Amino acid sequence: MSSPEIASLSWGQMKVKGCSTTYKDCKVWPGGSRTWDWRETGTNHSPGVQPADLEEVIKKGVKTLVIGRGMSEALQVPPSTVDYLKKNGIDVLVLQTEKAVEEYNALAAQGVKVGGVFHSTC
């Protein structure tokens, strides 16, 4: 299964190719996507993305994970989260969301088993 292309991104809205849902924040992986609901893990801008936010995507067999920190990079990614991914043998890219979507789409187009978590506002 291939990773779905992110078809569009604007402030507070993301569309994934082949999915009718418009997301505010989303998780994507080979063969699927869904809303990234921060309330599930108690995520906030600080301290930011936690391993619990990423487990679902990692279990889908991704080799690379792209984290979009928001349009103004307000979402933090602690070193412990990056270490967690590396310990699991996963390459990680932490970028401003527009750049993260570009990188994710480029990797997906190359057939890389890539996943992502993207914050589409601040």
Side-chain angles (χ1 to χ4, degrees):
M1 265 191 265
S2 60
S3 299
E5 177 187 344
I6 295 171
S8 66
L9 167 68
S10 59
W11 184 274
Q13 296 190 330
M14 296 184 73
K15 298 281 281 176
V16 175
K17 196 170 189 174
C19 179
S20 60
T21 305
T22 298
Y23 300 113
K24 176 179 173 261
D25 299 321
C26 75
K27 297 181 178 187
V28 290
W29 58 82
S33 65
R34 79 169 183 93
T35 293
W36 179 16
D37 183 349
W38 292 15
R39 292 172 296 192
E40 292 172 357
T41 56
T43 295
N44 287 298
H45 287 102
S46 181
V49 182
Q50 305 164 64
D53 293 312
L54 310 174
E55 285 174 1
E56 175 182 18
V57 177
I58 290 168
K59 288 178 181 168
K60 305 291 184 181
V62 301
K63 300 294 177 218
T64 302
L65 185 81
V66 182
I67 300 173
R69 293 187 49 209
M71 300 301 210
S72 304
E73 299 184 88
L75 179 60
Q76 302 301 302
V77 181
S80 58
T81 298
V82 173
D83 291 344
Y84 166 79
L85 291 165
K86 289 181 177 175
K87 282 181 185 148
N88 282 281
I90 295 165
D91 294 327
V92 60
L93 296 168
V94 178
L95 300 163
Q96 186 266 356
T97 296
E98 290 162 310
K99 291 181 176 76
V101 166
E102 285 175 24
E103 283 294 323
Y104 168 88
N105 279 342
L107 290 165
Q110 293 167 25
V112 174
K113 288 189 86 129
V114 61
V117 294
F118 301 99
H119 179 43
S120 74
T121 58
C122 47

